[in-house]
């Protein structure tokens, strides 16, 4: 197995997109098969070695950044098999953890299938998206990554290789889950007793449900319970046609009404994605797209799957809905063919590029939120974000997954004082979201940046339950330490 410790060659493994700059590591291993991952972890307890798992470094929370630990780079485990039927008659694609999501999407489509999860950033590894239960615009219709995983193989901290097909290992009615492994022997634990928030997306802490499936514990556990090395992804047929549109509004009240009506399927519309851009986001985009209407208070990107036969009819339904809420229908951009839809994807991806371009000229980094709330509380959280930013005179944008009551607030500080104020206010944003029954993270996860806030969300009792599960799977604490659970919880 390749091992690199030349600082110039491993520099990239000290970074992700979190802006944490203090990572350090003795070196990086590049396993080429599952056995090699297992062999590495088998060394852990006796040698005192600790490991951090590295995907492709697009994470926003420092999850893959090592602080003195060795790195296991997943990039060489990148096999993608052709789709096939599994024993349950589902169409699945077997992939290794280091395969790029973008390559997986393209391969599936070549065979006439769709892998629905679509995080905005496509240059991530599939193993990371499972470890983080990632989601994207299509999550509105299809749910997060969790809903599309039929089987995973994990290498546990003991070096045991565990295959987990959905349905094989489930907790009993007493909440106990138990497995026997050759090296770790009996692994037995209680399913966490906390309840999860009533949001349509949630990615903060270990999953919990009555009689839960072991596969769901690993999905979203941010690499703290084992290294995901392989997975069977559930595919759905590629829709015959898609209607995509960016629709502008003169007021946010009209825009919110539009979203509300679309979610209620008014006029017979059936969205698969509903994404939001506020006025400030449109100002950034106008640098590249001057045709964006000057008076627009915001925009919604929506998509609906359809057929050749029903396309006109479905489009008419959307136009009726748009007109019923005073949308700027004439100025809106409707994309019906693949090329136009690609151009629209570029438009959407231009926002982070423009923001990053602006930030690169500033000395401070952005403060961004990832909270979601139950649908009924969305406008309250939105107004809290906006009023707070206006009060402090910040430059900011609000955008994202409005269909799931999950928008990102990015504060863009222009000096250190503003940065410090915004950082302090982040605490208030978390408090507000939790007070409204929301989640600390809907998709980006906790990593090393937000573990103290996780305590606020689940309380000491909840974090202790997570720490107990972690220690059951990883008694010598060798894997992804510092992620999710604050380290001092392991001392009790
Ligand atoms: C511009 C931008 C847009 C984004 N948009 C979205 C979005 O729409 N939705 C969304 O959900 N996320 C989004 N993200 C966040 C990010 O892309 C996802 O969290 C993604 O899953 C990270 O993948 P990665 O391969 O880069 O992982 P890394 O950053 O390398 O690692 C992320 C975490 O996963 C762990 N990990 C990696 N591989 C494994 C494995 N095989 N087994 C166990 N643990 C592992 C790491 O230890 C780390 O804790 C966005 C990020 C950016 C920069």
């Amino acid at each position: 197995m390749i091992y690199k410790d030349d600082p110039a060659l491993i520099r990239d493994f000290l970074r992700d997109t979190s802006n944490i700059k203090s990572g350090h590591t003795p070196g990086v291993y590049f396993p080429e098969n599952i056995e090699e991952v297992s062999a590495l972890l088998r060394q852990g307890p006796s040698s005192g070695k600790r490991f951090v798992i590295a995907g492709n470094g697009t994470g926003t929370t420092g999850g893959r950044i090592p602080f003195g630990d060795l790195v296991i780079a997943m990039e060489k485990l990148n096999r993608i098999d052709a789709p096939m039927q599994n024993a349950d008659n589902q169409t699945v694609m077997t992939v290794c953890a280091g395969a790029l999501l973008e390559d997986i999407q393209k391969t599936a489509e070549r065979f006439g299938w769709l892998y629905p999860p679509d995080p905005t950033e496509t240059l991530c590894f599939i193993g990371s998206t499972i470890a983080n239960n990632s989601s994207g615009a299509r999550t509105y219709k299809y749910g997060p990554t969790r809903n599309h995983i039929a089987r995973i193989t994990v290498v546990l901290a003991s070096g045991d290789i565990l295959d987990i097909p959905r349905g094989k290992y489930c907790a009993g009615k007493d909440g106990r889950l138990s497995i026997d492994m050759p090296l770790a022997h009996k692994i037995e634990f209680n399913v966490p007793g906390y309840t999860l928030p009533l949001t349509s997306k949630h990615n903060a802490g270990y999953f919990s449900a009555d009689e839960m499936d072991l596969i769901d514990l690993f999905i979203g556990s941010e690499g703290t319970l084992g290294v995901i090395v392989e997975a069977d992804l559930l595919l759905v047929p590629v829709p015959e046609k898609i209607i995509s549109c960016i629709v502008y509004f003169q007021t946010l009240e009209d825009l919110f009404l539009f979203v509300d009506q679309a979610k209620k399927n008014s006029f017979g519309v059936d969205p698969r994605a509903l994404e939001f851009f506020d006025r400030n986001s449109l100002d950034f985009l106008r640098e590249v797209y001057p045709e964006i209407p000057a008076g627009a208070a915001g925009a919604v990107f929506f998509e609906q799957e359809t057929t050749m036969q029903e396309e006109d009819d479905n489009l008419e339904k959307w136009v009726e809905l748009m007109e019923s809420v005073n949308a700027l229908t004439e100025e809106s951009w409707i994309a019906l063919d693949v090329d136009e839809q690609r151009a629209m994807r570029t438009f959407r991806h231009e926002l982070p590029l423009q923001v990053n371009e602006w930030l690169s000229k500033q000395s401070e980094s952005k403060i961004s939120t990832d909270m979601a709330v139950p649908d009924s509380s969305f406008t309250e959280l939105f107004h809290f974000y906006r009023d707070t930013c206006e009060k402090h005179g910040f430059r900011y944008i609000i955008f994202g997954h409005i269909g799931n009551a999950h928008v990102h607030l990015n504060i863009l500080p222009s000096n250190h004082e503003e940065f410090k104020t915004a950082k302090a206010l982040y605490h208030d944003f978390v408090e507000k979201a939790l007070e409204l029954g929301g989640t600390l993270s809907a998709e980006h996860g906790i990593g090393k940046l937000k573990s103290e806030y996780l305590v606020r969300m689940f309380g000491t009792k909840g974090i202790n339950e997570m720490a107990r599960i972690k220690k059951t799977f990883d008694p010598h604490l060798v894997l992804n330490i510092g992620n999710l659970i604050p380290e001092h919880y392991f001392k009790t």
Side-chain angles (χ1 to χ4, degrees), residues 10 13-14 21-27 52 65-71:
I10 60 174
F13 290 94
L14 307 180
K21 296 192 171 116
S22 45
H24 54 102
T25 180
V52 171
I65 298 181
F67 285 89
D69 298 341
L70 290 150
V71 175

Side-chain angles (χ1 to χ4, degrees), residues 387-407:
D387 296 349
T388 309
C389 290
E390 292 290 338
K391 189 170 123 201
H392 289 274
F394 291 141
R395 181 151 200 197
Y396 69 95
I397 56 171
I398 305 178
F399 65 98
H401 319 293
I402 196 167
N404 289 103
H406 170 221
V407 289

Side-chain angles (χ1 to χ4, degrees), residues 402-445:
I402 196 167
N404 289 103
H406 170 221
V407 289
H408 301 287
L409 162 66
N410 283 3
I411 300 178
L412 312 169
S414 49
N415 57 51
H416 193 57
E417 270 314 299
E418 276 194 7
F419 176 80
K420 281 198 305 193
T421 312
K423 205 155 185 254
L425 283 169
Y426 180 83
H427 179 81
D428 297 356
F429 297 140
V430 171
E431 286 297 321
K432 184 72 180 176
L434 296 182
E435 178 195 308
L436 294 171
T439 177
L440 164 59
S441 171
E443 65 181 17
H444 288 178

Side-chain angles (χ1 to χ4, degrees), residues 128-256:
S128 323
T129 66
I130 300 170
N132 293 280
N133 191 27
S134 302
S135 53
R138 295 196 292 241
T139 294
Y140 177 70
K141 175 179 164 92
Y142 288 104
T145 294
R146 180 183 308 287
N147 299 12
H148 306 279
I149 305 299
R151 182 189 68 85
I152 55 173
T153 304
V154 286
V155 179
L156 302 181
S158 55
D160 282 304
I161 298 170
L162 174 62
D163 198 43
I164 317 178
R166 192 170 280 286
K168 183 166 179 187
Y169 303 105
C170 293
K173 287 203 183 338
D174 61 355
R176 294 291 284 168
L177 213 160
S178 154
I179 46 171
D180 276 307
M181 298 306 301
L183 300 170
H185 305 299
K186 200 173 191 70
I187 296 179
E188 194 168 23
F189 61 93
N190 280 329
V191 165
Y194 46 73
T195 43
L196 299 181
L198 295 173
T199 50
S200 60
K201 284 166 88 175
H202 166 67
N203 186 29
Y206 295 155
F207 185 78
S208 168
D210 290 343
E211 296 173 56
M212 72 179 268
D213 194 310
L214 182 62
I215 199 169
D216 284 322
L217 182 69
F218 279 89
I219 298 170
S221 65
E222 301 192 30
T224 56
L225 301 176
V227 186
I228 296 165
V229 284
E230 193 180 273
D232 284 355
L233 312 178
L234 282 167
L235 306 180
V236 299
V238 170
E240 198 176 305
K241 287 227 70 182
I242 295 164
I243 295 170
S244 305
C245 180
I246 290 176
V247 48
Y248 299 101
F249 295 85
Q250 247 164 346
T251 71
L252 280 181
E253 288 68 32
D254 288 339
L255 185 153
F256 290 155

